[in-house]
Amino acid sequence: MDHDALRDWSKRAADWAHDYHAGLRDRPVRAQVAPGDVAARLPAAAPEAAEPMEAIWADFEALIPDAMTHWQHPRFFAYFPANAAPASMLAEQLANAIAAQCMLWQTAPAATELEQVVTGWLRDALALPGDFTGTIHDSATTATLAAVLTMRERALGWAGNAAGLAGQPALRLYTSAQSHSSVDKAARVAGIGQENLVKVPVRADHGMCPDALVRAIAADRADGFSPAGVVLCAGGTGIGAFDPMAECIAAAHAAALPVHVDAAWAGSAMICPEFRHRWDGVADADSVVVNPHKWLGAQFDCTVQFLRDPAAQIRTLGLKPDYLQSPGAGEVTDFNDWTLPLGRRFRSLKLWFVLRAYGLGGLRGRIRDHVAWAAELAQALAALPGVGIVTPPSLSLFTFALDAGDAATQAMLERINADGRVYLTQTRHDGRFVIRVQVGPFDCTRADVMTVRDVVAELMR
Ligand SMILES: *Cc1c(COP(=O)(O)O)cnc(C)c1O
């Protein structure tokens, strides 16, 4: 294939994409295939000779779409959304065509400066203070790892980077049991260790107890550990729990510890002023991560980390071998010093397109609808005999279960997903198996959301 053929096939791909999206409501949301089905239909080895594009395309249509779970389906209420707004898809096409490595200002001046400008737009839209600066990572997992590595090096006076971790004091990190597993992964990968990630007890509302945080830090210091930092949760993945930001950040700072806030999912909702009370106090954090690739519509991958002072993270992650030296040092920003991989995709383009093509008003309207419809759906489910809401809506996320117990709830979830009209997933809460519902697809309607009630009602009969 050459670039002339690419032009023709791209047009065909655009038509295919249009029809795929137009037909999504007629497809089951979750792939209805068994493990191994797809692999069994593929040849064992790559072809020696070039194959015609027609054949490759025909196999794509025959093998792939029906064996995918459709994340852009308007009735995808599982996990969290991974929204790809049409304007984001267009920006990705253009970024794909340019296919640049955006590691240094010099290797991608427009991408670097656009990243600075649009993360500033997003910061202001979230009402974060103007002294935060943003950078774009591939995922919240790596943003949190970057923050935890920085906590580690700060606590060790950068001796970990220089000499390795052997013989260093045992570090401690603090988070709550409601925080995402990416915090556990960061503790492991950063060489701090799972056992040194302290899960601070939570209050009745499932937010971290600030007094318990104070006690845990003091007890660790008395026992000879070196506390390194606190990771707070603003919208946990299980049930949408929020730690009390102001009290926990004050406690951490009183103990001279930096704070990273994981708002990967819920952060997008903070473009709406009426939801910001949920993370009151976040302005004093040292680092905040938000995933526009979840609820906002800038497709995966697009994670924004806001840093109060990037110097410590740059000192932790930045490296300038001879072959990366470029003119303008000190004058320009080389974003590879802020994030883990050297290579960086042109991710700011899709955020720019999304913010402009829908406007903050359009994005707020969607999020407000989702929150309102989640509340309405929770009420409708609660009205069904034998169904109970376990955790009330936190923004657009709530959980429910059947009165008949865990086995019945689990069987109900399997039947809901086999039915295919909607897709839901599970978590455990206070020892119970519960079904999660999050309302977040970019173009879902109220009717799409209320389909959950219809499906559950039918299956209860
Ligand atoms: C989704 C999620 C993550 C992980 O996000 P990735 O970008 O997939 O790494 C982390 N924390 C929270 C609260 C999340 O909802």
Side-chain angles (χ1 to χ4, degrees), residues 11 43 235 290 300:
K11 287 175 182 157
V290 175
F300 192 84

Side-chain angles (χ1 to χ4, degrees), residues 94-152:
L94 300 173
N96 282 342
I98 297 172
Q101 278 294 353
C102 308
M103 54 205 189
L104 306 172
W105 178 87
Q106 182 177 255
T107 66
T112 300
E113 294 182 18
L114 192 59
E115 184 163 335
Q116 293 174 302
V117 171
V118 293
T119 57
W121 286 5
L122 185 62
R123 172 200 62 213
D124 295 345
L126 299 172
L128 289 171
D131 60 349
F132 272 112
T133 45
T135 187
I136 306 184
H137 296 256
D138 57 351
S139 68
T141 302
T142 44
T144 293
L145 177 58
V148 165
L149 287 167
T150 304
M151 288 173 177
R152 182 192 82 188

Side-chain angles (χ1 to χ4, degrees), residues 206 238-239 373-405 409 416 424 427 429-430 432-439 449-450 452-453 456 460:
H206 307 286
I239 60 161
W373 294 336
E376 200 179 335
L377 174 61
Q379 271 191 354
L381 284 172
L384 295 176
V387 179
I389 300 303
V390 179
T391 58
S394 173
L395 299 171
S396 67
L397 169 67
F398 67 91
T399 64
F400 72 97
L402 303 194
D403 298 343
T409 306
I416 291 168
L424 306 178
T427 190
H429 182 70
D430 284 346
R432 287 176 76 185
F433 183 99
V434 297
I435 300 177
R436 288 171 82 258
V437 182
Q438 68 76 22
V439 178
V449 175
M450 297 312 283
V452 174
R453 185 227 164 256
V456 174
M460 285 296 283

Side-chain angles (χ1 to χ4, degrees), residues 79-81 137-144 178-183 232-238 241 262-266 289-291 293-294 300-303 436:
Y79 305 102
F80 278 136
H137 296 256
D138 57 351
S139 68
T141 302
T142 44
T144 293
Q178 290 293 329
S179 66
H180 187 265
S181 58
S182 55
V183 183
L232 296 177
C233 157
T237 310
D262 180 1
W265 162 65
V289 64
V290 175
N291 275 353
H293 71 224
K294 278 185 170 155
F300 192 84
D301 49 356
C302 188
T303 289
R436 288 171 82 258

Side-chain angles (χ1 to χ4, degrees), residues 188-201:
R188 294 175 182 203
V189 173
I192 292 171
Q194 182 78 60
E195 290 169 11
N196 292 315
L197 176 63
V198 179
K199 300 279 170 85
V200 178

